[in-house]
Amino acid sequence: KQKTAYDIGVRLVGSEMCIRDSNGIEDAGFEVLESPTAICPIIVGETSTAISMSYRLLELGVFAIGFGYPVVPEGEARIRVQISAAHEHEHLDRLVDALRTHEVDTIYCVPGESYIATLDALFDARDAIRVVTCRQEGGAANMADAYGKMTGRPGVCFVTRGPGATNASVGIHTAFQDSTPLVLFIGQVARSMSEREAFQEIDFRRMLGELTKWTGQIDDPTRIPEDVNRAFRTAVSGRP
């Protein structure tokens, strides 16, 4: 029996490939390329199958990116999804719980591979937290800025590292100049790749130091509640 995109999507999601490791995907019958990061390239076969499969995964709440020729041999295709080799359920739950503690009900973002596992956790919390996907990070940051201006509560924005953060800096600068409470979350390279010129690696504490009241980096997942609390407290204290 030929596999449909629905069958493939359900089998992958059922193997918890976004939460655990690549073993579940291999058990589901797919070839997985080795990767030093939490990105998981899966060889699919025909391009049309990969496209249908990506659509189905998106419907199931799994962010997927498809690649065809010339990235892979002509006539073949692969999709790339996030597995959480660097994240545990507990760590992701801590972040979502911290957001709920501060009554966050809306997040503006442009999805990126550096924090896709967080998006998976937010998908599970979709009844409480609305995630608004934007076309460009500068627009996402400006929307969070507008939310802060209209509600008096911190607007929240999620972006990926490198160009995602630099694009968002426009909205961060606007919020700083206008004294608007805003909290920006940026995905970062794996700790094992830090200071090794990893792809799109930037020291955001140095880059954004002059544009924010405080810029921190969470290196220990047990400190997620502490650092998130500090970010929200700083955003609404003194001059926003």
Side-chain angles (χ1 to χ4, degrees):
K1 180 182 178 181
Q2 184 164 356
K3 303 171 188 171
T4 66
Y6 179 87
D7 295 329
I8 295 172
V10 170
R11 287 179 66 195
L12 282 175
V13 174
S15 67
E16 295 188 342
M17 55 82 183
C18 291
I19 304 301
R20 296 303 180 188
D21 54 40
S22 60
N23 293 332
I25 307 177
E26 293 173 342
D27 292 342
F30 299 95
E31 179 184 355
V32 182
L33 302 182
E34 290 188 8
S35 174
T37 71
I39 300 305
C40 183
I42 305 171
I43 298 298
V44 175
E46 295 182 0
T47 303
S48 59
T49 302
I51 294 173
S52 299
M53 185 172 171
S54 297
Y55 276 124
R56 179 57 190 156
L57 288 171
L58 288 171
E59 290 174 358
L60 294 168
V62 178
F63 189 78
I65 303 174
F67 292 90
Y69 179 80
V71 178
V72 294
E74 189 170 5
E76 297 183 5
R78 77 172 189 232
I79 63 169
R80 191 174 72 176
V81 297
Q82 178 88 4
I83 59 173
S84 299
H87 304 282
E88 300 291 340
H89 266 300
E90 180 184 0
H91 302 160
L92 300 173
D93 290 341
R94 281 177 183 161
L95 176 57
V96 174
D97 289 343
L99 295 172
R100 283 173 164 161
T101 297
H102 292 279
E103 300 181 345
V104 173
D105 58 13
T106 305
I107 291 172
Y108 302 95
C109 76
V110 175
E113 54 87 9
S114 62
Y115 73 99
I116 291 179
T118 303
L119 289 174
D120 289 332
L122 288 170
F123 181 79
D124 293 336
R126 60 190 179 279
D127 291 338
I129 302 175
R130 180 174 63 123
V131 177
V132 180
T133 302
C134 307
R135 291 181 176 270
Q136 201 259 11
E137 293 85 359
N142 283 328
M143 292 171 75
D145 172 61
Y147 179 98
K149 285 180 168 63
M150 295 174 65
T151 66
R153 297 158 49 198
V156 180
C157 180
F158 275 72
V159 298
T160 194
R161 62 183 182 265
T166 55
N167 287 340
S169 66
V170 177
I172 298 302
H173 180 68
T174 301
F176 186 80
Q177 291 285 300
D178 292 350
S179 298
T180 305
L182 190 152
V183 176
L184 174 70
F185 290 87
I186 305 172
Q188 184 56 293
V189 299
R191 291 190 296 276
S192 62
M193 300 298 293
S194 178
E195 298 184 358
R196 298 176 66 183
E197 295 187 11
F199 180 61
Q200 296 181 344
E201 179 184 8
I202 295 177
D203 185 341
F204 297 110
R205 288 166 292 192
R206 296 174 59 190
M207 171 187 154
L208 298 174
E210 296 297 319
L211 296 179
T212 64
K213 292 167 68 177
W214 176 68
T215 301
Q217 180 167 299
I218 303 175
D219 293 315
D220 180 356
T222 64
R223 296 184 58 181
I224 290 174
E226 172 190 344
D227 287 340
V228 171
N229 181 62
R230 179 177 178 181
F232 277 86
R233 186 176 68 249
T234 302
V236 296
S237 62
R239 173 182 169 182

